[in-house]
Amino acid sequence: MRVHVVSDVHGNTGALAKAGEGADALICLGDLVLFLDYADHSRGIFPDLFGVENADLIVELRTARRFDEARELGRRLWSELEVDRETAIESAVRRQYAEMFAAFPTPTYATYGNVDIPGLWREYARPGTTVLDGERIELGGLVFGFVGGGLRTPMRTPYEISDEEYAAKVEALGDVDVLCSHIPPDVPELTYDTVARRFERGSRALLDAIRRTRPRYALFGHVHQPLARRMRVGATECVNVGHFAATGRPWALEW
């Protein structure tokens, strides 16, 4: 059995269409939406609406952790837009989702990232794509558990939830062979982004579950340039499957 795993697709539809080649199934760990490309500020919903110059500025503010100033800039730009914020974002996200869900191979098993909008997924998921969050499936004799979304941060991305709600989803999985999530367990080497030079939020609940239930693998994304892409926590191999938007390469699991 061979499964390919991707995360942080962020609009890379061309590579996504090829990600399942040679595999029995594709697993996607979220962040399909491209709101703003930090490597190329001309790409994404934000520059499409407000221009590259404003995208340059908001990246500068966020990178410097000047979040209050970044939010003030965002409020000003949205107030000057002729259409309301929710309508503009939903329209742009729908265009991206239509392309990306059409690119998923059959079968695909997917969960949400922190920048995704869960309410739209089931509308765009075609036959052959299964959306899972706080749920389990069996593939080739192994049990895979899925936990979507992220924890609350100053960035206030669309699908951030409380620690308690997140922990309840982890708890609902029980014992699994492969623990699949968008964000990593709360381990410094796995949560530190070496380019952004900051710690992203990892989950203590995931870490506790790994230590308690000892899955074979814990797979995740979210941190684009982690200090450690792979490390062992007890009996569990923890793997950041990679920033798919940049690499276009899935991570392969065979058994």
Side-chain angles (χ1 to χ4, degrees):
M1 184 81 178
R2 180 182 176 95
V3 170
H4 287 176
V5 189
V6 301
S7 184
D8 301 272
V9 178
H10 294 302
N12 193 346
T13 309
L16 184 62
K18 302 175 183 178
E21 293 179 356
D24 297 293
L26 178 71
I27 288 175
C28 179
L29 302 181
D31 272 11
L32 299 182
V33 171
L34 179 61
F35 192 75
L36 175 57
D37 189 333
Y38 277 60
D40 180 355
H41 303 168
S42 68
R43 297 182 65 242
I45 295 171
F46 189 93
D48 286 349
L49 291 173
F50 304 118
V52 177
E53 186 174 321
N54 283 316
D56 291 340
L57 179 55
I58 204 160
V59 169
E60 179 184 338
L61 292 173
R62 288 178 175 176
T63 302
R65 303 187 67 80
R66 293 157 61 186
F67 295 118
D68 289 340
E69 293 174 69
R71 281 194 288 271
E72 181 55 38
L73 172 63
R75 279 193 290 268
R76 179 175 62 79
L77 292 173
W78 284 111
S79 70
E80 295 171 355
L81 206 63
E82 293 182 357
V83 65
D84 69 273
R85 176 175 180 148
E86 289 74 19
T87 300
I89 291 178
E90 181 173 321
S91 177
V93 169
R94 282 182 177 278
R95 287 194 296 271
Q96 292 187 12
Y97 278 170
E99 294 179 0
M100 282 181 283
F101 277 94
F104 277 142
T106 297
T108 292
Y109 303 92
T111 197
Y112 316 113
N114 61 292
V115 303
D116 287 311
I117 301 177
L120 298 179
W121 273 42
R122 297 191 187 277
E123 182 176 339
Y124 287 92
R126 299 181 174 194
T129 297
T130 303
V131 179
L132 300 146
D133 188 16
E135 299 164 282
R136 303 151 45 110
I137 57 164
E138 185 270 331
L139 293 174
L142 297 184
V143 177
F144 288 69
F146 292 78
V147 185
L151 297 172
R152 288 175 181 156
T153 72
M155 300 290 282
R156 298 181 183 177
T157 51
Y159 190 39
E160 294 181 354
I161 61 177
S162 70
D163 289 56
E164 294 76 17
E165 184 179 352
Y166 194 93
K169 292 195 294 185
V170 175
E171 182 68 23
L173 297 178
D175 292 0
V176 298
D177 298 300
V178 185
L179 179 57
C180 300
S181 59
H182 177 66
I183 64 174
D186 189 16
V187 177
E189 294 90 339
L190 300 176
T191 59
Y192 186 74
D193 191 306
T194 60
V195 174
R197 288 190 265 185
R198 66 170 182 260
F199 287 97
E200 302 290 352
R201 283 212 66 189
S203 167
R204 181 72 190 191
L206 285 173
L207 181 58
D208 290 344
I210 288 167
R211 288 172 170 163
R212 184 178 68 254
T213 67
R214 299 163 62 88
R216 297 188 192 184
Y217 292 94
L219 309 179
F220 50 87
H222 187 56
V223 182
H224 292 178
Q225 296 89 200
L227 186 62
R229 291 200 174 273
R230 188 167 185 154
M231 67 180 290
R232 188 168 288 276
V233 175
T236 302
E237 191 72 17
C238 298
V239 183
N240 184 318
V241 300
H243 182 201
F244 187 76
T247 69
R249 296 189 302 272
W251 185 82
L253 176 62
E254 288 189 272
W255 68 97

